[in-house]
Amino acid sequence: MSKSRRWDPKDSESKLLPIYQHKTKLIQAVSDSAFLIVTGETGSGKTTQLPQYLHQAGFCKDGKIGVTQPRRVAAITVAQRVAHEMQCTLGRDVGYQVRFDDCTSEDTVVKYMTDGCLLREILADPGLSQYSVIILDEVHERSLNTDILLGLLKKIFSNPAKATKGRAFPLRVVVMSATLETNKLSSFLGNCPVFVIPGRTFSVTCTFGTAIGPKDTESTAYVKEVVKMAFDVHTSERAGDILVFLTGQSEIEHACDLLFEKAESIDYRYDVQDQTVEGLLILPLYGSMPTDQQRQIFQPPPPRIRKCVVATNIAATSLTINGIKYIVDSGFVKQLNHNSRVGMDILEVVPISKSEAQQRAGRAGRTSAGKCFRIYTKEFWEKCMPEYTVPEIQRTSLSAVILTLKCLGIHDVIRFPYLDSPEERFILEALKQLYQFDAIDRRGRVTQLGEMMVEFPLHPGLTRAVLKTASLGCQDLLLPVAAMLSVENIFIRPGHPDKQKEADKKHRALAAKSGGMNDFATLLCVFQSCKSSDKPSVWCKENWIHWRALKSAFSVERQLCEILHRLQQKKDFPIETFDGNKSELFRRCLCSGYFTNVARRSVGKVFCTMDGHGSMVHIHPSSSLFDQEAELNWVIFHDVLVTSRVYIRTVCPIRYEWVKDLLPKLHEVDVFELSSVAREEVTDEEMIKWETREAAKRQPEVSTEDVMKKLEKRNNEATVSDARARYLQRKQLRQQSKAL
DNA sequence: GAGCACTGC
């Protein structure tokens, strides 16, 4: 059965696209050079048309055309559209591949996929021997995987000798991007040609406000201001829907409440200028919302009613809502930044970049001319907003990425051709972590364990724990937990206090059912209980568990099982034995992956991390270990959350003896020494010298107790306390605004 | 005593 959607297949329609008149030149440009940049705003037709042109021009004779997208939905919908335009069944000539869904066949010559999928393919076939053309789309978004692919393609294929190695024909690489930073891209790719295609979007006029100035980067005033602005738009502008950009769920719900109150008070006979508008439909939109509720956003509003969608950044790229004519932009976004000095990820509200503001504004010009109302001043724009968003590669923990590069035989990960290099300490931190997990050896070479680890779509530490259970034959304990930890939060905690109590009670019962005192075991218990239930979705509802999240955890678990099974088929898979009870076995396996996340009770409820940063942390109240005092001096935790305090979440008590031998490893490697390991030019001789020096240093064995004493004296890094201070300030302002 | 955006394998 065809999966293609049935919209009107007008061949003439594609000829009207701006790209059509450049067809011949574009095909020529692709054949002329190894790298080509194609730029054009949305609506130029580059994503759907270029692969078809290349197909018609015979580029599929030697291999496939692969097109990457940063998002699953985009890969799927574009493939559907192109299959339809080419009048073929989806999955035959035209197909797509995303995680859990491979819709391709032996006949597939035009393949759309996510950037992560192509990266996986390169691991299996570094020469990309099946492809004649690779097209990287949406490169301006700077997703981590696309950035890595870009560097890999440059490194592998800019050298003609290497590029033809194992290939019968040269590979063509097309990089597609919005018209941003094309000079930088071109010089990165050896001054390759740039092909510009005009877009077909409508004009959007932008105005600045007066409310948020350069002094307000830490304030929450923007919530009230966007509400005021949206209300003004509603009463003074002609018909057309409104899209409001805010940063998160609670904020959005608060704004919706305020807007609703205001909208209630309107007398439509006098207050609203456009008399064809007789009401306002207010709809929140954020990622964790139930899918059916999300779907309502796309319904056209009833006649004479104006729709106002209050959304997170999800509406900036992932979801397109038709009929939006007005944008109200708060100028802020919630962004996850990795801090390598404290080894923590901190989620913060920060001003958006200018390019992101333009992206938001562009959402109003998809079907007709629109208007964008920015609540911040021109001065805020100039002084507080950076030109471009810091690319993901400079903001995230890199251990998984560095392991991938190492597995591809790229030893010198510091001088890898990054479009924007991450700070060296980010790379060194990743190397150090990989070394601690035994994924790489002291010379920076991938170990057998590392080669197995790279196969799993998980954090290296979690993978190590999984492999440990597998070698002991008890992977059933940990695979579900690993799956649960790699999907969105499965515990629902509603906003209403009564329901909150009810949900908490259910969650505590689930923790007790698993034996209590171990949050990892609770996850396993939830997984198993739901799976064995007759009506899993009903079970979830009763227990305040996120059914969508749990469903994806089931798929992840299945995938992890398959990968593990494949690895176990190979020889050399380690087999160990353990005698002791199940609870200890479970926790000891966790230790083998979480020994970098160990904390020891310091004073009262305060714990101190043992990772070398010595941060003071608290157990999160959602944990079953919260307020448990007895016999609880050593714990491991899955992650850290910086809000009013530095909290550790998903916690499990351990015994010091289980990590005693592992902890010194955390302090064994000097990061500055590692920088030489990362570089290719280090000779074996130097290496031996280094290793001898290291061995000499280790002579007086580092005692964990010594390290502990040192750490407890050290203060938390300023960044964490800054983040906390900002959080508390926002909280205070929020309370003040509520009181008023 | 709880305030986490989005995406991907």
Side-chain angles (χ1 to χ4, degrees):
Chain A
M1 195 183 78
S2 166
K3 282 190 180 176
S4 48
R5 276 173 60 179
R6 256 178 262 138
W7 60 56
D8 209 9
K10 292 212 174 61
D11 192 40
S12 56
E13 191 185 310
S14 64
K15 286 183 180 159
L16 289 172
L17 286 165
I19 195 174
Y20 182 71
Q21 47 191 321
H22 304 280
K23 185 174 174 178
T24 321
K25 279 187 180 170
L26 206 43
I27 293 167
Q28 192 59 46
V30 175
S31 6
D32 284 350
S33 66
F35 290 95
L36 175 72
I37 295 167
V38 176
T39 77
E41 301 296 339
T42 5
S44 63
K46 57 188 190 317
T47 309
T48 54
Q49 304 306 302
L50 181 61
Q52 294 187 56
Y53 295 169
L54 296 178
H55 177 250
Q56 287 163 21
F59 276 86
C60 295
K61 275 188 217 127
D62 298 328
K64 295 178 210 167
I65 298 172
V67 190
T68 69
Q69 294 289 327
R71 280 172 297 281
R72 293 164 57 95
V73 260
I76 298 169
T77 52
V78 176
Q80 285 168 339
R81 166 120 206 194
V82 172
H84 196 254
E85 285 182 13
M86 283 172 62
Q87 297 179 341
C88 67
T89 308
L90 186 64
R92 300 294 291 274
D93 290 31
V94 181
Y96 66 86
Q97 189 188 349
V98 297
R99 190 185 189 183
F100 308 128
D101 192 1
D102 183 356
C103 187
T104 61
S105 62
E106 283 178 3
D107 304 332
T108 304
V109 284
V110 177
K111 177 173 168 181
Y112 286 87
M113 63 194 130
T114 48
D115 47 11
C117 274
L118 185 63
L119 202 53
R120 290 274 144 187
E121 262 186 58
I122 292 190
L123 268 172
D125 173 20
L128 287 171
S129 54
Q130 292 189 45
Y131 293 92
S132 57
V133 185
I134 291 290
I135 303 176
L136 301 182
D137 201 4
E138 312 280 16
V139 172
H140 61 278
E141 286 187 24
R142 307 297 310 274
S143 85
L144 180 60
N145 288 335
T146 298
D147 264 19
I148 292 294
L149 285 171
L150 197 59
L152 279 173
L153 291 172
K154 173 178 166 149
K155 192 173 164 72
I156 302 172
F157 294 101
S158 58
N159 178 345
K162 271 190 190 170
T164 45
K165 198 179 161 191
R167 299 179 56 91
F169 45 86
L171 181 81
R172 300 286 168 211
V173 178
V174 182
V175 171
M176 304 212 283
S177 167
T179 45
L180 290 166
E181 294 191 283
T182 44
N183 288 339
K184 181 177 164 184
L185 259 179
S186 170
S187 65
F188 178 75
L189 296 171
N191 294 315
C192 74
V194 179
F195 205 105
V196 184
I197 300 163
R200 201 184 56 178
T201 44
F202 298 88
S203 72
V204 178
T205 42
C206 297
T207 51
F208 289 96
T210 52
I212 302 292
K215 285 177 189 161
D216 302 314
T217 52
E218 308 295 323
S219 138
T220 48
Y222 61 83
V223 180
K224 271 165 82 183
E225 291 304 326
V226 289
V227 169
K228 210 191 276 174
M229 186 66 89
F231 187 75
D232 283 352
V233 172
H234 177 49
T235 51
S236 59
E237 294 288 341
R238 298 184 51 196
D241 298 339
I242 308 170
L243 173 60
V244 180
F245 281 104
L246 279 172
T247 75
Q249 175 178 348
S250 61
E251 209 172 81
I252 284 170
E253 271 158 11
H254 181 51
C256 284
D257 289 347
L258 291 174
L259 201 54
F260 185 74
E261 276 170 37
K262 279 187 173 246
E264 285 281 88
S265 66
I266 299 178
D267 186 337
Y268 281 89
R269 283 168 301 177
Y270 310 111
D271 298 348
V272 178
Q273 286 197 7
D274 184 351
Q275 296 295 314
T276 67
V277 175
E278 288 173 5
L280 187 65
L281 177 66
I282 303 157
L283 298 162
L285 174 65
Y286 44 84
S288 60
M289 229 165 72
T291 322
D292 54 328
Q293 220 172 308
Q294 274 188 22
R295 230 171 271 135
Q296 284 180 20
I297 305 294
F298 301 102
Q299 304 284 332
R304 304 172 87 84
I305 301 291
R306 192 200 298 274
K307 187 161 78 177
C308 176
V309 179
V310 186
T312 59
N313 246 15
I314 196 171
T317 48
S318 307
L319 299 177
T320 300
I321 309 154
N322 291 323
I324 297 295
K325 210 165 179 171
Y326 308 104
I327 300 292
V328 177
D329 181 11
S330 66
F332 287 91
V333 71
K334 223 172 246 178
Q335 200 176 60
L336 190 70
N337 293 315
H338 178 73
N339 189 297
S340 70
R341 270 180 300 165
V342 287
M344 283 180 201
D345 290 333
I346 301 175
L347 192 66
E348 281 191 286
V349 175
V350 293
I352 57 172
S353 66
K354 291 180 181 127
S355 64
E356 210 171 335
Q358 269 152 1
Q359 166 83 32
R360 286 182 175 183
R363 295 269 115 176
R366 312 255 330 164
T367 41
S368 63
K371 288 185 185 177
C372 171
F373 301 89
R374 294 169 171 155
I375 60 151
Y376 41 91
T377 62
K378 189 80 201 274
E379 207 189 353
F380 183 89
W381 165 275
E382 276 157 5
K383 289 184 178 164
C384 304
M385 293 168 57
E387 289 299 318
Y388 300 104
T389 308
V390 177
E392 200 184 352
I393 199 165
Q394 295 181 327
R395 292 187 281 118
T396 29
S397 159
L398 296 172
S399 33
V401 163
I402 297 291
L403 182 60
T404 308
L405 291 181
K406 289 264 177 188
C407 285
L408 284 167
I410 294 158
H411 192 56
D412 187 348
V413 288
I414 288 178
R415 290 184 308 175
F416 176 78
Y418 301 100
L419 181 53
D420 284 296
S421 289
E423 279 183 61
E424 198 164 300
R425 60 196 171 99
F426 273 53
I427 300 172
L428 297 181
E429 191 202 17
L431 285 166
K432 191 174 166 180
Q433 210 175 53
L434 291 172
Y435 172 70
Q436 288 164 353
F437 290 136
D438 296 316
I440 58 174
D441 63 17
R442 299 181 67 78
R443 304 185 52 187
R445 312 272 162 182
V446 180
T447 61
Q448 265 189 317
L449 184 65
E451 269 166 25
M452 288 198 268
M453 277 164 79
V454 81
E455 299 291 325
F456 289 88
L458 295 173
H459 180 267
L462 194 49
T463 312
R464 194 175 191 259
V466 164
L467 288 168
K468 182 78 180 172
T469 54
S471 70
L472 287 159
C474 60
Q475 62 269 27
D476 295 353
L477 287 179
L478 215 57
L479 285 173
V481 177
M484 298 279 268
L485 289 170
S486 57
V487 299
E488 52 187 319
N489 191 4
I490 56 144
F491 297 104
I492 298 171
R493 194 156 195 272
H496 294 284
D498 289 350
K499 293 191 170 177
Q500 227 167 58
K501 272 183 195 163
E502 194 187 317
D504 292 349
K505 207 173 149 190
K506 292 283 187 187
H507 295 162
R508 273 198 300 274
L510 287 166
K513 192 180 164 191
S514 72
M517 295 288 278
N518 180 349
D519 298 329
F520 294 89
T522 308
L523 290 175
L524 178 63
C525 171
V526 170
F527 187 96
Q528 289 169 339
S529 308
C530 180
K531 201 151 199 193
S532 60
S533 143
D534 296 335
K535 286 180 179 159
S537 64
V538 178
W539 184 91
C540 283
K541 209 169 184 179
E542 282 169 359
N543 289 285
W544 295 91
I545 298 292
H546 212 297
W547 170 231
R548 182 179 64 189
L550 207 46
K551 258 195 301 190
S552 45
F554 290 156
S555 316
V556 175
E557 197 258 356
R558 231 174 299 138
Q559 189 192 26
L560 298 178
C561 280
E562 279 164 23
I563 295 167
L564 182 62
H565 191 70
R566 211 172 58 224
L567 291 176
Q568 283 175 324
Q569 299 295 301
K570 293 183 190 166
K571 56 179 177 145
D572 297 336
F573 194 89
I575 293 169
E576 298 170 63
T577 51
F578 176 83
D579 27 68
N581 68 45
K582 211 173 175 184
S583 160
E584 183 176 335
L585 175 64
F586 184 42
R587 290 184 292 155
R588 288 188 81 144
C589 287
L590 283 170
C591 282
S592 75
Y594 281 101
F595 65 93
T596 51
N597 286 8
V598 171
R600 173 184 165 270
R601 189 186 292 278
S602 177
V603 187
K605 290 180 178 177
V606 184
F607 284 74
C608 175
T609 64
M610 304 303 298
D611 56 355
H613 301 293
S615 312
M616 296 304 178
V617 296
H618 291 254
I619 294 177
H620 194 268
S622 64
S623 168
S624 52
L625 300 189
F626 178 75
D627 264 355
Q628 300 279 341
E629 308 233 344
E631 302 291 316
L632 188 69
N633 288 316
W634 290 82
V635 294
I636 51 168
F637 55 90
H638 177 252
D639 63 354
V640 178
L641 171 69
V642 183
T643 51
S644 54
R645 274 180 174 161
V646 183
Y647 287 110
I648 52 176
R649 275 192 319 186
T650 317
V651 186
C652 162
I654 55 155
R655 296 168 78 101
Y656 169 57
E657 299 89 82
W658 301 344
V659 289
K660 192 177 142 202
D661 298 334
L662 294 166
L663 286 182
K665 194 157 189 178
L666 300 184
H667 311 285
E668 189 182 304
V669 185
D670 187 329
V671 282
F672 298 106
E673 299 278 4
L674 260 175
S675 73
S676 61
V677 182
R679 291 206 153 85
E680 217 153 20
E681 74 269 29
V682 180
T683 62
D684 278 6
E685 205 180 320
E686 280 175 287
M687 213 51 233
I688 293 162
K689 269 192 210 161
W690 181 73
E691 287 191 15
T692 336
R693 210 164 55 233
E694 274 295 304
K697 265 198 227 164
R698 280 204 312 272
Q699 273 307 317
E701 194 72 39
V702 190
S703 101
T704 314
E705 282 76 11
D706 289 345
V707 177
M708 267 158 24
K709 274 179 203 154
K710 257 191 231 164
L711 288 181
E712 291 201 357
K713 279 184 195 156
R714 203 186 294 179
N715 287 328
N716 267 352
E717 287 282 347
T719 37
V720 179
S721 38
D722 286 354
R724 274 192 55 209
R726 277 198 289 275
Y727 174 84
L728 288 168
Q729 197 178 352
R730 279 176 194 286
K731 190 174 179 177
Q732 202 181 353
L733 280 161
R734 217 161 29 226
Q735 278 161 356
Q736 278 170 7
S737 79
K738 265 186 193 167
L740 290 170

